[in-house]
C-alpha cells in the first residue's frame, strides 16, 4: 500500500457496454421469448433501436417531463416500433 492510499475516497468505473453485454442478452432473451410466443422479429434491430431510444427517454426524465411515471412497457414512453412493426 502506498502512502497516498488513505486519501483515495472512491474508485469508479464505467462498465456499461464494456463489462455488461446487454445487447447479446437482450437478443438471446427476446429470441427465446419469440420462439415461445411464435413472434418473429429482427431481435438485433430491436435491441439497437431500444438502445437508441435510451438517451432521448432519459433526457425526458432529467427534464422532469415524466414525473411519477414508471419505465414499464405499458407506459409507452420508452419503446421501439420494431417490437410491433418489423419482421
Amino acid at each position: 500500500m502506498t502512502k497516498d492510499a488513505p486519501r483515495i475516497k472512491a474508485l469508479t468505473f464505467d462498465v456499461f457496454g464494456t463489462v455488461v453485454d446487454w445487447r447479446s442478452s437482450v437478443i438471446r432473451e427476446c429470441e427465446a421469448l419469440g420462439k415461445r410466443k411464435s413472434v418473429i422479429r429482427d431481435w438485433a434491430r430491436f435491441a439497437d433501436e431500444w438502445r437508441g431510444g435510451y438517451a432521448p427517454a432519459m433526457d425526458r426524465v432529467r427534464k422532469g417531463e415524466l414525473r411519477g411515471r414508471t419505465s414499464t412497457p405499458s407506459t409507452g414512453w420508452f419503446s421501439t416500433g420494431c417490437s410491433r412493426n418489423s419482421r
Side-chain angles (χ1 to χ4, degrees):
M1 186 172 253
T2 68
K3 64 179 181 170
D4 294 331
R7 294 191 297 177
I8 296 172
K9 301 285 185 195
L11 295 174
T12 62
F13 302 90
D14 179 4
V15 297
F16 190 72
T18 303
V19 174
V20 179
D21 180 10
W22 66 270
R23 188 176 186 274
S24 294
S25 299
V26 168
I27 294 168
R28 181 182 61 249
E29 294 303 316
C30 286
E31 286 174 345
L33 178 65
K35 284 180 186 175
R36 287 194 308 273
K37 301 291 185 177
S38 299
V39 176
I40 299 169
R41 295 287 186 266
D42 179 346
W43 296 114
R45 180 175 162 211
F46 171 83
D48 293 340
E49 288 186 8
W50 182 20
R51 178 67 175 123
Y54 182 80
M58 292 301 97
D59 283 342
R60 291 182 67 198
V61 170
R62 283 188 283 276
K63 292 176 185 174
E65 296 175 14
L66 302 172
R67 289 193 196 282
R69 297 190 71 184
T70 64
S71 61
T72 61
S74 62
T75 63
W77 68 267
F78 190 114
S79 63
T80 172
C82 182
S83 62
R84 294 185 193 100
N85 303 322
S86 69
R87 293 204 178 265

